[in-house]
Amino acid sequence: KLQPSDAILVRGISRPKYYILHDEIVLDGKLGAGAFGQVWRGKFWRKNEAKDVAIKRLNHGKSGKEILRGFVKEAKLVQKLNHPNLIRVIGIAPTEEPLMIILELAKNGCLKNYLHNLSKKEKRVEDEILIGFCLDMARGMAYLAAKMIIHRDLAARNLLLGEKMEVKISDFGLSECGKIEARATKIKVPIRWLAPESIDTLIFTTKSDVWAFAVTMWEIFSMCASDPFPGLTNRQAKDIIRDKSKNPPMDPPNETPKQMAKLMVECFERNVEERPGFAEIMRKLAPENEDLN
Ligand code: ADE
């Protein structure tokens, strides 16, 4: 049930705070586009104050009543999540097309672009900084895992950079909504990031998120110069992921610091039971904090 403090009066109608109207949003410029629609930067105006935000505009789809109800329910859930390494979901604008998701703006953009562009100039970021990116990602994922939320699409393309170059994970929870319109055609599956146990079933767990964490570590330590399984087709990548004799399925990039290469291989464990969880991964990335748990 809505508490009075959860609601806001808009045009005389009481709505939950996360329920945003299209005329409270001003679009400033396009940031990117994906299968689900477009991402813009812009301003969220409320009570005469403007907040910088990112806006996901979903493609027109079959936004039937049922889907819309699911969308609102999901938004209610994820807007409560609050962690420095997760992109905050500020709200949704479900009253008009296109449906919009209003997100915290990550001032320094996408980690993948940042590393990829440096790699093209033959530059490399210091190991300590790359390890820091992995630790930030592990902290955000440990928070999600503790809330029993499965990401399903952890990859460098879904890591953004905040004001202090801290990693912020995006596209959790509501990412499902992005698939609404994709379902009509064909769901795009991120094959190269899929755990062996998910590849045929498309069943995801926190442990399949851990596998994707290993793939994302591989991307980070290769400076996002290429996609995982470089030079291979999707079909070939799939065969290697399925091949029980390929342990790990992908060698850590040559430049990977030893401890990080070891952790990556542990997260590429084929036996789900033996694959570490995110709390353990976090401890391994920040050994000085080991006593704090
Ligand atoms: N691209 C996609 N989502 C974004 C966000 N929240 N901030 C900045 N760039 C983005």
Side-chain angles (χ1 to χ4, degrees):
K1 195 155 187 288
L2 267 186
Q3 302 298 314
S5 62
D6 293 332
I8 185 161
L9 217 57
V10 181
R11 289 207 209 112
I13 299 163
S14 175
R15 302 170 190 271
K17 278 179 190 158
Y18 59 84
Y19 209 102
I20 293 167
L21 298 177
H22 278 62
D23 59 14
E24 293 178 289
I25 297 295
V26 178
L27 299 173
D28 289 337
K30 209 200 278 192
L31 290 170
F36 61 86
Q38 303 171 341
V39 186
W40 288 64
R41 64 173 296 155
K43 300 224 164 32
F44 167 41
W45 282 92
R46 188 170 276 177
K47 292 184 184 163
N48 290 322
E49 267 180 57
K51 214 187 244 163
D52 287 318
V53 292
I55 301 133
K56 269 198 173 179
R57 309 173 79 214
L58 303 187
N59 285 337
H60 288 244
K62 297 174 183 50
S63 37
K65 274 221 175 82
E66 220 168 288
I67 285 168
L68 206 58
R69 213 169 289 140
F71 185 64
V72 173
K73 199 170 146 197
E74 188 80 21
K76 191 172 171 177
L77 188 86
V78 296
Q79 58 96 31
K80 288 211 178 89
L81 301 177
N82 186 13
H83 189 276
N85 300 115
L86 299 181
I87 287 286
R88 263 199 64 94
V89 176
I90 295 166
I92 53 167
T95 53
E96 289 172 43
E97 296 260 22
L99 300 182
M100 304 197 295
I101 305 173
I102 317 305
L103 303 165
E104 168 189 0
L105 182 72
K107 295 251 159 70
N108 283 304
C110 178
L111 174 69
K112 182 172 179 163
N113 293 344
Y114 170 69
L115 293 180
H116 182 80
N117 292 341
L118 287 172
S119 83
K120 280 199 295 200
K121 292 186 248 170
E122 314 241 325
K123 285 185 181 160
R124 193 174 171 84
V125 174
E126 288 166 45
D127 284 345
E128 289 69 40
I129 292 175
L130 295 179
I131 294 169
F133 290 152
C134 296
L135 178 57
D136 285 350
M137 168 169 60
R139 285 181 173 139
M141 288 307 297
Y143 177 89
L144 281 183
K147 303 241 175 219
M148 314 296 273
I149 292 171
I150 304 161
H151 191 296
R152 294 184 177 84
D153 196 11
L154 184 59
R157 64 177 169 276
N158 285 329
L159 300 180
L160 300 172
L161 291 167
E163 213 157 4
K164 294 171 228 138
M165 295 300 277
E166 72 279 30
V167 166
K168 288 174 177 279
I169 302 170
S170 77
D171 264 322
F172 48 90
L174 278 169
S175 64
E176 282 287 275
C177 290
K179 290 175 190 151
I180 291 168
E181 86 293 342
R183 205 157 283 161
T185 51
K186 210 174 188 184
I187 300 174
K188 277 236 161 69
V189 181
I191 293 188
R192 289 159 202 266
W193 286 261
L194 287 189
E197 73 275 11
S198 311
I199 214 156
D200 294 309
T201 59
L202 291 186
I203 293 170
F204 297 88
T205 63
T206 290
K207 289 296 181 82
S208 60
D209 277 350
V210 170
W211 180 282
F213 179 87
V215 181
T216 308
M217 275 186 89
W218 183 94
E219 292 185 273
I220 289 173
F221 286 105
S222 58
M223 289 291 291
C224 294
S226 68
D227 269 351
F229 302 101
L232 302 187
T233 63
N234 274 350
R235 175 83 242 170
Q236 289 167 327
K238 207 167 173 175
D239 286 343
I240 290 181
I241 296 167
R242 279 209 191 97
D243 185 344
K244 290 194 173 63
S245 71
K246 296 267 193 318
N247 293 309
M250 220 178 351
D251 286 326
N254 287 335
E255 305 84 352
T256 314
K258 267 217 179 79
Q259 280 305 310
M260 294 299 111
K262 185 163 174 276
L263 176 60
M264 198 186 306
V265 171
E266 284 167 8
C267 296
F268 273 136
E269 166 63 53
R270 288 180 180 277
N271 181 344
V272 175
E273 308 296 319
E274 282 173 34
R275 206 177 293 158
F278 282 112
E280 188 181 342
I281 293 171
M282 226 168 79
R283 282 196 297 276
K284 288 188 174 181
L285 282 161
E288 70 273 15
N289 295 332
E290 215 150 19
D291 302 334
L292 293 177
N293 262 329

